[in-house]
Amino acid sequence: YSGWLNLTEIDPDEEVQGELHLRIEIVGSEAAKKLRCQVFDARDLARKDRNGASDPFVRVRYNGKTQETSVIKKSCYPRWNETFEFDLDESAPEKPCVVEVWDWDLVSRNDFLGKVAFNVEGLLTVQQEEGWFLLRPDKSKPPQDEGNLGALHLQVRLRDEMVLPSGHYQPLVQLLCQEVKAAAQDRKAHLITLIDETTTAECRQEVAINLVKLFLGQGLAKELLDLLIKLELDKTDEPNTLFRSNSLASKSMESFLKVAGMQYLHRVLGPTVNRMFEEKRYIELDPSKVESKDVGCSSLHWTQSESDVIQQSAHLLQSYLTDLLAAIAKSVGLCPAVIRATFRQLFKRVGERFPEEKDQNIKFIAITSFLCLRFFSPAIMSPKLFHLQEKHADARTSRALLLLAKTVQNVGNMDPVISCAKEGWMSPLQPTIQQGVAQMKQFILQLIDIEEKEELDLQKALTLPSPVVKEGPLFIHKAKSKGPLLSSTFKKLYFALTGEALTYAKTPSSKKSSFITLANIRAAEKVEEKSFGSSHVMQIVYTDEAGQAETVYLQCKCVNELNQWLSALRKVCVNNTEMLCSYHPGIFRGEKWSCCHQKDKTGLGCDKTRHGVTLREWNDPLDPDLEAHLIFRHLLGVREAMKEKYLELLTLEKGENFPLNQSE
């Protein structure tokens, strides 16, 4: 779906969530049939009270009669285990049995939490229905003033993929790998060429990321990109237009940097971006956008002139750019070996294609067009999208980031005179940009100075420690021997999640201690807000060395960080075979669970676990079967176009049209 949706007022009776566990059946003799409804429990009900919970009860209505359960105080996971019976009216089978859940309130009216309606006529056939039923809203009221509250532009896509066992994709994967290996030996690569020629702009980004992830898993990402670069160079006559379009080669290199180089990006850009977010300085070089600025104390202040603001802004921007260029220059050893080797091949290929003296800068620009223009600059402009920050920048910081990104682009263009001529107000930065160009060239020469043996040694060294999937500060709950559980019992520590364990330390530079091995994790879930007075707490259920179940509670800064940690934990535990099916979203306090009031600490949980609910991110673990499936689906969709292109290529190569049989 893609379109505009009108915003409407919220109807409380439509804001429902959760499920109800019921059994409804027909019992009794033929002469006196009864409709029996057993209400067991509910889970994940809406929170209607200030304490972060509800006081739910169930109301069962049938044939003009109503019965109710008891009220369970302060719980969104109540257990009733109550049974109700009604005389069955077989003369009116169309009458439904409606089971409603309500939040009891002492003073105000009760709040509606949802309902389930049963078709009694259908029940006469099956005799019994039991299970977890999704709570539904009440009948909607006619919309009032629809369209007067604004509209929201949304694009939503639901895609259901059925991924087959690995063996089904091996022929395709082997064929693709053979093509790339053949191209490395200067033989023709028809399939990759056809993919390049027939992939449209609409799906190019998706095909690029799928190819990159597949070949990264096969250890052939460098070879794939080398082939795509050669195909791009063969089609390019004007060096100044090289890699400027959104070709498959450009999109693949861009995706490759995001998948393989995100940790490197954070280490290079992180300090400068963090500094800009903390300082929130006003920076503006464009005279048409300069705002007058009052400075000084309340008793003695003056207004800065336009030239003063521009001069101060230039000084600040030079400071940020100098720090960033220094970080880049020192980052050769931090850059992943596979990226360095890929850039080495790119540098070599471009130099061979454009060997003239006047084009000597092109091989440097080829690298900066990806590293600066498609990797560093977008991350500086939108740090949240690259997980450099938890929140988007305010207007002032956003403008400063944009100006810094422009200067990085100018450095990447390798021609500060022309860059500053396009936007004359950038001229105060020309000396710094000129110096940055020299630094960038020296950095690139060091970056690509990697031999094949060194590349293999670095890749081997990088595989020894498990790569960090996610890291950052979290607050760990420390249980007190006495007194209530309060948020003040959380202690701040620095956590790191790898493919082997969740570790922690007092600071990022401190020595990390093993905390929980991934093989022992049984669940990673949210915790009810009422448990600790915060909606940003998660729990990790795991087994200790003795095989006993333990739970640790970790508090995040915000809901986005909470979801990112939960997603990362669930992804790295995807192959754990002993994950739990249920858990307690509350805490065990006062000899009972705060969520469902059970007194058995080791009993089954009252809510279902959500191991499959994850976010899609660039650092997702590689899934070769999924990537192969997505590539196969794409090839199937462009099969006819590929046939036509194949015949065209054969005609160009051999001067005649060979018949294309089914196997081809």
Side-chain angles (χ1 to χ4, degrees):
Y1 171 82
S2 179
W4 290 90
L5 293 176
N6 289 327
L7 298 177
T8 59
E9 291 186 9
I10 293 176
D11 182 354
D13 289 346
E14 291 185 358
E15 299 298 304
V16 303
Q17 67 179 57
E19 297 171 289
L20 187 62
H21 187 192
L22 299 168
R23 179 193 293 151
I24 187 165
E25 58 187 339
I26 306 296
V27 297
S29 63
E30 286 293 329
K33 287 186 177 181
K34 300 279 188 179
L35 177 68
R36 177 183 294 167
C37 180
Q38 290 179 268
V39 182
F40 298 113
D41 47 358
R43 60 191 180 195
D44 197 25
L45 297 178
R47 290 135 178 89
K48 295 291 185 178
D49 297 337
R50 291 182 179 180
N51 58 19
S54 290
D55 302 324
F57 69 94
V58 172
R59 179 179 294 160
V60 185
R61 294 189 290 108
Y62 173 67
N63 199 22
K65 295 183 179 180
T66 301
Q67 299 187 60
E68 295 180 353
T69 66
S70 57
V71 176
I72 306 296
K73 294 291 188 69
K74 299 179 181 179
S75 177
C76 293
Y77 298 83
R79 294 198 170 196
W80 292 282
N81 289 320
E82 296 186 34
T83 303
F84 306 102
E85 289 189 354
F86 299 87
D87 293 328
L88 183 64
D89 186 0
E90 293 189 72
S91 64
E94 72 281 356
K95 292 181 179 178
C97 175
V98 180
V99 184
E100 300 171 340
V101 186
W102 293 82
D103 169 46
W104 178 83
D105 285 318
L106 178 62
V107 179
S108 60
R109 74 177 186 89
N110 297 334
D111 298 311
F112 180 73
L113 297 179
K115 70 177 183 180
V116 181
F118 289 94
N119 185 331
V120 176
E121 187 174 12
L123 193 62
L124 287 169
T125 304
V126 298
Q127 293 295 305
Q128 183 187 89
E129 283 191 52
E130 181 180 353
W132 285 94
F133 297 93
L134 194 66
L135 291 173
R136 302 291 182 182
D138 206 355
K139 290 182 179 179
S140 300
K141 299 176 182 176
Q144 300 291 326
D145 300 325
E146 185 173 346
N148 294 339
L149 299 177
L152 190 64
H153 192 193
L154 290 176
Q155 186 176 59
V156 181
R157 182 176 64 170
L158 175 63
R159 190 175 67 190
D160 188 11
E161 301 290 352
M162 184 178 292
V163 181
L164 302 174
S166 300
H168 292 269
Y169 303 108
Q170 281 307 304
L172 174 61
V173 174
Q174 290 171 3
L175 177 60
L176 289 168
C177 292
Q178 288 169 6
E179 287 260 320
V180 170
K181 291 175 182 176
Q185 300 171 6
D186 294 325
R187 299 204 302 270
K188 293 294 180 182
H190 287 300
L191 182 55
I192 299 296
T193 303
L194 291 172
I195 293 174
D196 182 37
E197 293 284 345
T198 58
T199 301
T200 61
E202 290 77 16
C203 60
R204 198 167 287 146
Q205 178 67 65
E206 186 175 356
V207 173
I209 185 63
N210 293 336
L211 283 171
V212 165
K213 285 191 171 184
L214 178 68
F215 280 92
L216 271 172
Q218 299 296 320
L220 293 170
K222 180 187 72 175
E223 290 75 10
L224 168 71
L225 293 166
D226 186 39
L227 171 56
L228 292 173
I229 287 165
K230 285 194 292 184
L231 294 174
E232 181 80 1
L233 287 168
D234 290 342
K235 295 182 286 187
T236 305
D237 296 320
E238 175 54 52
N240 291 327
T241 63
L242 185 62
F243 302 125
R244 296 293 177 171
S245 66
N246 288 322
S247 63
L248 186 61
S250 297
K251 286 294 185 183
S252 296
M253 183 67 84
E254 182 182 330
S255 300
F256 167 69
L257 289 174
K258 289 178 179 177
V259 175
M262 196 62 78
Q263 191 174 351
Y264 168 67
L265 178 89
H266 280 224
R267 297 183 72 174
V268 173
L269 300 187
T272 302
V273 172
N274 289 341
R275 178 188 162 195
M276 295 179 74
F277 266 76
E278 290 168 3
E279 294 180 355
K280 299 184 183 299
R281 302 297 293 271
Y282 175 71
I283 298 178
E284 186 53 76
L285 298 178
D286 187 351
S288 66
K289 296 182 179 179
V290 171
E291 300 174 0
S292 62
K293 185 179 177 186
D294 289 340
V295 295
C297 62
S298 58
S299 59
L300 181 64
H301 70 274
W302 65 95
T303 302
Q304 276 188 320
S305 66
E306 178 183 293
S307 60
D308 289 339
V309 172
I310 291 176
Q311 184 178 0
Q312 185 182 36
S313 298
H315 177 74
L316 283 169
L317 207 53
Q318 285 171 351
S319 172
Y320 292 137
L321 181 60
T322 301
D323 286 354
L324 183 55
L325 290 173
I328 293 172
K330 296 175 183 177
S331 69
V332 172
L334 301 175
C335 187
V338 66
I339 294 180
R340 294 181 61 186
T342 301
F343 280 152
R344 179 193 64 201
Q345 287 295 102
L346 173 61
F347 193 84
K348 175 185 174 184
R349 297 292 184 195
V350 175
E352 292 171 348
R353 177 67 179 83
F354 300 105
E356 293 83 0
E357 185 66 29
K358 63 182 179 66
D359 296 327
Q360 287 306 297
N361 260 1
I362 298 300
K363 52 192 176 186
F364 290 96
I365 295 174
I367 292 178
T368 57
S369 66
F370 293 117
L371 194 62
C372 294
L373 275 65
R374 292 178 180 263
F375 196 39
F376 287 161
S377 289
I380 294 170
M381 286 190 289
S382 304
K384 183 179 183 295
L385 299 182
F386 287 76
H387 301 311
L388 285 164
Q389 290 289 321
E390 291 295 332
K391 298 180 179 179
H392 289 294
D394 57 33
R396 173 179 288 191
T397 307
S398 183
R399 179 61 179 171
L401 291 168
L402 175 62
L403 291 172
L404 179 61
K406 278 181 174 289
T407 61
V408 172
Q409 289 174 352
N410 289 341
V411 171
N413 288 330
M414 296 280 172
D415 195 338
V417 176
I418 293 179
S419 297
C420 292
K422 291 179 180 178
E423 294 175 311
W425 45 268
M426 293 285 286
S427 57
L429 296 175
Q430 185 172 335
T432 309
I433 294 173
Q434 185 72 56
Q435 183 181 356
V437 170
Q439 286 180 270
M440 187 62 69
K441 284 187 175 180
Q442 186 62 34
F443 165 72
I444 289 173
L445 291 174
Q446 294 175 4
L447 191 70
I448 64 174
D449 185 19
I450 177 173
E451 300 297 331
E452 289 191 14
K453 183 179 183 304
E454 184 184 0
E455 176 192 346
L456 293 174
D457 291 343
L458 282 172
Q459 285 181 340
K460 184 178 180 181
L462 287 172
T463 57
L464 291 178
S466 185
V468 176
V469 176
K470 184 167 179 60
E471 59 185 339
L474 294 172
F475 294 84
I476 183 171
H477 174 256
K478 296 291 186 181
K480 292 182 176 180
S481 57
K482 295 181 180 179
L485 296 173
L486 301 174
S487 58
S488 60
T489 61
F490 282 91
K491 180 181 179 181
K492 185 177 181 180
L493 295 171
Y494 194 87
F495 285 79
L497 177 65
T498 69
E500 297 174 353
L502 178 67
T503 60
Y504 75 94
K506 290 184 178 179
T507 65
S509 57
S510 302
K511 184 178 179 180
K512 293 181 172 60
S513 304
S514 180
F515 181 46
I516 303 175
T517 57
L518 297 189
N520 291 340
I521 292 180
R522 299 292 175 259
E525 300 292 339
K526 292 182 180 180
V527 177
E528 275 191 307
E529 180 178 353
K530 69 173 185 177
S531 300
F532 296 106
S534 169
S535 59
H536 310 145
V537 179
M538 64 178 174
Q539 59 176 298
I540 301 174
V541 183
Y542 66 100
T543 55
D544 60 17
E545 295 179 356
Q548 298 297 314
E550 299 286 347
T551 304
V552 62
Y553 299 98
L554 302 174
Q555 181 172 314
C556 305
K557 289 187 297 184
C558 61
V559 67
N560 287 337
E561 185 183 56
L562 171 68
N563 289 330
Q564 289 165 13
W565 271 104
L566 285 172
S567 179
L569 284 161
R570 290 166 180 172
K571 286 173 184 175
V572 295
C573 295
V574 68
N575 294 321
N576 285 13
T577 58
E578 298 182 30
M579 299 295 280
L580 298 175
C581 296
S582 63
Y583 80 107
H584 287 285
I587 54 175
F588 197 79
R589 178 171 53 191
E591 299 185 351
K592 65 180 180 180
W593 287 101
S594 63
C595 45
C596 60
H597 302 171
Q598 285 190 72
K599 295 185 178 180
D600 183 2
K601 188 176 183 179
T602 60
L604 291 175
C606 56
D607 196 8
K608 59 184 178 182
T609 50
R610 296 164 177 83
H611 308 308
V613 180
T614 59
L615 305 174
R616 187 174 183 182
E617 300 183 271
W618 289 106
N619 59 351
D620 284 350
L622 298 176
D623 187 344
D625 293 339
L626 175 60
E627 308 307 335
H629 170 79
L630 295 175
I631 293 171
F632 172 75
R633 189 193 63 179
H634 170 73
L635 294 177
L636 205 60
V638 297
R639 180 170 49 183
E640 294 302 321
M642 290 181 69
K643 283 183 180 180
E644 293 177 10
K645 199 66 185 180
Y646 184 47
L647 286 170
E648 183 183 327
L649 291 175
L650 284 178
T651 303
L652 291 173
E653 289 177 11
K654 300 184 179 181
E656 57 183 335
N657 194 347
F658 286 92
L660 186 67
N661 59 41
Q662 290 298 319
S663 62
E664 291 177 311

